């Protein structure tokens, strides 16, 4: 597998397969939403679109970065979302980096959204699909977020069958600027457990696949294939 690591701004052409990484916190939150029973997640292009979708579908759950706001039901925090029952619900998510990255590659044949909590499931799906070339979109901090790059590099190694030791990648993520800002309370709409929850390797057994459904980019969980179902490496 030929892996490329690009910032959102560096995406000059549509990749055939893309893994969009946002560890702290968009795609950790998305995984928790599915674990709490959400059926699907609609990735909104703007706060206004998220509000409009919520207005048209009052039963949907809208969430965003930062502090609580009118028109939104929740914030982009795994620590706060883990106690919310989302059984059968549709979630609308708008974040600063993760959702932007996913929408930037919406025309790709395969779009996976990832973080450490779904790392192995994501790698297994890439192995099963036999992707020759994969673009990893490092979403945070204009592509400089080390927690996202570390996660992307770890998934890339696992996708090629390499026995990568996760500890160094998790250490980098834990020492990242995003982790420090969350721990120090710089970022609003956070829970004290957010950093620890974002660093839980392979907490969930599913990958997350995004695809256009009519005019919306929709994220859904996808069960990871078992090792016996994978293509030979």
């Amino acid at each position: 597998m030929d892996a490329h690591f690009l910032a959102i701004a560096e995406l000059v052409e549509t990749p055939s397969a893309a893994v969009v990484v946002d560890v702290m916190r968009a795609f950790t939150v998305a995984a928790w939403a599915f674990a709490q029973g959400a059926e699907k997640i609609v990735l909104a292009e703007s706060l206004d679109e998220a509000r409009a979708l919520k207005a048209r579908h009052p039963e949907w759950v809208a969430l965003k970065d930062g502090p609580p706001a009118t028109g939104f039901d929740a914030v982009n925090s795994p620590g706060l979302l883990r106690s919310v029952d989302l059984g059968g619900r549709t979630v609308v998510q708008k974040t600063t980096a993760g959702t932007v990255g996913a929408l930037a590659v919406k025309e790709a044949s395969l779009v996976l959204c990832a973080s450490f909590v779904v790392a192995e499931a994501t790698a297994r799906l890439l192995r099963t699909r036999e992707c020759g070339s994969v673009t990893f979109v490092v979403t945070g901090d204009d592509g400089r977020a080390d927690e996202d790059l570390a996660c992307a590099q770890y998934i890339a190694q696992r996708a090629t069958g390499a026995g990568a030791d996760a500890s160094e990648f998790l250490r980098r993520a834990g020492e990242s600027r995003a982790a420090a800002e969350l721990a120090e309370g710089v970022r609003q709409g956070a829970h004290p457990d957010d950093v620890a929850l974002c660093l839980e390797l392979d907490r969930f057994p599913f990958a997350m696949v995004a695809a256009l459904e009519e005019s919306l980019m929709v994220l859904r969980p996808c069960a990871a294939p078992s090792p016996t179902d994978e293509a030979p490496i």
Side-chain angles (χ1 to χ4, degrees):
M1 188 187 80
D2 186 14
H4 306 272
F5 304 91
L6 299 177
I8 296 171
E10 296 172 326
L11 294 165
V12 295
E13 58 185 27
T14 300
S16 57
V19 178
V20 187
V21 182
D22 190 329
V23 173
M24 296 185 186
R25 294 162 285 171
F27 298 138
T28 300
V29 166
W32 270 99
F34 290 130
Q36 293 300 105
E39 177 186 352
K40 64 183 179 182
I41 298 174
V42 176
L43 305 178
E45 291 196 20
S46 65
L47 293 174
D48 285 343
E49 183 188 30
R51 290 191 187 94
L53 287 167
K54 171 67 177 179
R56 290 202 299 272
H57 306 276
E59 73 281 10
W60 288 9
V61 177
L63 65 86
K64 60 177 278 294
D65 278 337
T70 301
F72 290 87
D73 306 288
V75 295
N76 193 45
S77 161
L80 295 172
L81 197 68
R82 63 183 169 176
S83 61
V84 179
D85 180 5
L86 296 173
R89 306 284 292 277
T90 293
V91 172
V92 179
Q93 186 180 35
K94 169 66 180 88
T95 69
T96 306
T99 58
V100 176
L103 288 162
V105 293
K106 63 184 179 181
E107 301 295 339
S109 299
L110 175 66
V111 179
L112 305 180
C113 295
S115 61
F116 280 112
V117 297
V118 292
E120 183 61 26
T122 304
R124 283 187 185 178
L125 190 57
L126 289 173
R127 292 199 296 263
T128 303
R129 298 290 181 94
E130 300 184 63
C131 299
S133 177
V134 178
T135 295
F136 289 84
V137 184
V138 181
T139 61
D141 197 17
D142 297 324
R144 297 185 299 270
D146 201 34
E147 73 280 5
D148 293 341
L149 180 58
C151 184
Q153 291 171 336
Y154 175 73
I155 293 172
Q157 287 195 27
R158 294 295 302 138
T160 59
D165 180 358
S167 58
E168 176 61 19
F169 298 97
L170 291 169
R171 181 196 63 77
R172 286 168 52 193
E175 294 177 357
S176 67
R177 188 174 83 171
E181 289 179 352
L182 284 171
E184 295 165 7
V186 174
R187 299 190 180 191
Q188 294 182 291
H191 185 280
D193 293 342
D194 278 357
V195 173
L197 292 173
C198 289
L199 299 179
E200 286 192 330
L201 184 67
D202 303 329
R203 166 111 192 192
F204 304 114
F206 52 81
M208 299 186 293
V209 180
L212 286 169
E213 297 184 13
E214 297 180 354
S215 61
L216 299 175
M217 191 65 164
V218 177
L219 187 63
R220 295 181 184 272
C222 177
S226 67
T228 56
D229 294 332
E230 294 178 25
I233 295 169

